[in-house]
Amino acid sequence: MSLRRLAPKFASASFAVNRPAVSVVQKRHLNLHEYQSAAIMETMGVNVPLGFAAKTVAEAVAAANKIGDEEVVIKSQILAGGRGLGTFTNGLQGGVHVIKTSQVEEYASKMLGGTLVTKQSGAAGKPVNELLIAKKMDLINEMYFAILLDRASGGPVIIACSEGGTSIEDLAESNPEAIVKVPIHPIEGITDAQAAEVVKGLKVTTDLEKAKAQVKALYKLFVEKDCTMVEVNPLAEDSKGVLMAADAKIGFDDNAEFRQKDVFAQRDESQEDPREVAAGKWDLNYIGLDGNIGCMVNGAGLAMATMDIIQLNGGKPANFLDVGGSASEKQVMEAFKVITSDPSVKALLVNIFGGIMKCDIIAAGIVNACKELTLEIPLVVRLEGTNVDKGKAILAASGLNIITADNLDEAAAKAVKAIS
């Protein structure tokens, strides 16, 4: 499940913009697999089930034998929700199973190396390169717990509900009064009274003081690890009265990578859009969309305006790509490679307003990229600003079939016409 889709329900300020549908949502946070999140939680004093990660069938069998129970839980490790109800492309139903230890080899063979499609993975699904073999827990009470950043209160907010293990989005629609929201002062931190309020909202039936300690440990994790979100679903009580994070999802702020190096070293690029990964290596901001006109622009605002005007002219943008204000020729070249790696791109529109970014640098990068990549799709270029005359001269002298435009509306219209 995605708590971020629910976040606007808890904010007083929200806005809607008529944008093209985004197929890959830009993230400013790192997501980790369940087993990675559990390991970090455990170091912060949060109770988690016993479990071991496995990358091979042999490792999975060894992990199950190490747990030593008749039954274990085998979980696909992908960065998408809805695993339990997902389907493998090889026909296996479900990405999470409670099985006998003797069946681990059979299931691991079918799951590892497969592709799991869920409601949140997209139609292409996600590759399953790792499994979590976990102890089967005797859970008697399942709850929902999350911490995220809230615009309305200007700081973290804890969201708690006595009903867990199900979709919090659905519950917010059907029974919103069951959800407790506790804003936390970002400087003062969580108080004992606030922890008690959360525990009351969870309707914990075991040791209340230990439950408060778990709530505080989860908040400590959120702050000290620079999280954007901590979601535990379910937060559960077992038959021995232990409150534990039975399943968890954690997001980390990319801006904190410099001080969370051990966390960010665990990033799994196989779960991400390869175009975003490639763009990120060159400090390019890229988001894949579902259109067919590729865009290369400098500045997020200009990029959004470019996408809007393409749509206004009857086209559909294939991406958002911001090269920033000081891109080099090499970065321009790499931007072309990222955009043209998408087979749905049938035309490319470059829209540059030169300030710090000089138009002649962009033009030289465009020419070199076209020559190296042997660009075979229509290319429309609009340049304005610093060194614009030099830039236009470079394009004109290149001998390449580049369609030029003097303003954004003209450029968008020509890009749409080029593929009509």
Side-chain angles (χ1 to χ4, degrees), residues 76-94:
S76 303
Q77 297 297 283
I78 64 169
L79 297 182
R83 293 173 297 168
L85 298 177
T87 303
F88 280 86
T89 54
N90 62 14
L92 178 65
Q93 296 292 316

Side-chain angles (χ1 to χ4, degrees), residues 200-218:
K200 182 179 179 181
L202 292 169
K203 296 184 180 179
V204 173
T205 61
T206 55
D207 191 310
L208 299 185
E209 289 302 315
K210 288 183 178 179
K212 284 161 58 177
Q214 285 296 294
V215 170
K216 290 179 180 179
L218 286 162

Side-chain angles (χ1 to χ4, degrees), residues 106-181:
E106 173 192 349
Y107 274 80
S109 298
K110 294 177 180 178
M111 297 166 77
L112 281 171
T115 300
L116 181 60
V117 181
T118 76
K119 285 186 176 181
Q120 293 185 25
S121 70
K126 296 283 186 181
V128 178
N129 300 318
E130 295 177 279
L131 299 173
L132 173 62
I133 309 300
K135 185 179 182 66
K136 180 186 174 184
M137 306 304 298
D138 182 16
L139 304 180
I140 61 172
N141 186 22
E142 296 187 3
M143 299 152 278
Y144 178 90
F145 178 95
I147 310 172
L148 72 158
L149 296 171
D150 179 39
R151 289 176 298 180
S153 61
V157 61
I158 295 178
I159 300 172
C161 181
S162 58
E163 300 178 35
T166 186
S167 170
I168 190 66
E169 294 93 339
D170 293 341
L171 188 61
E173 293 287 349
S174 63
N175 191 19
E177 58 274 7
I179 298 173
V180 175
K181 295 166 286 180

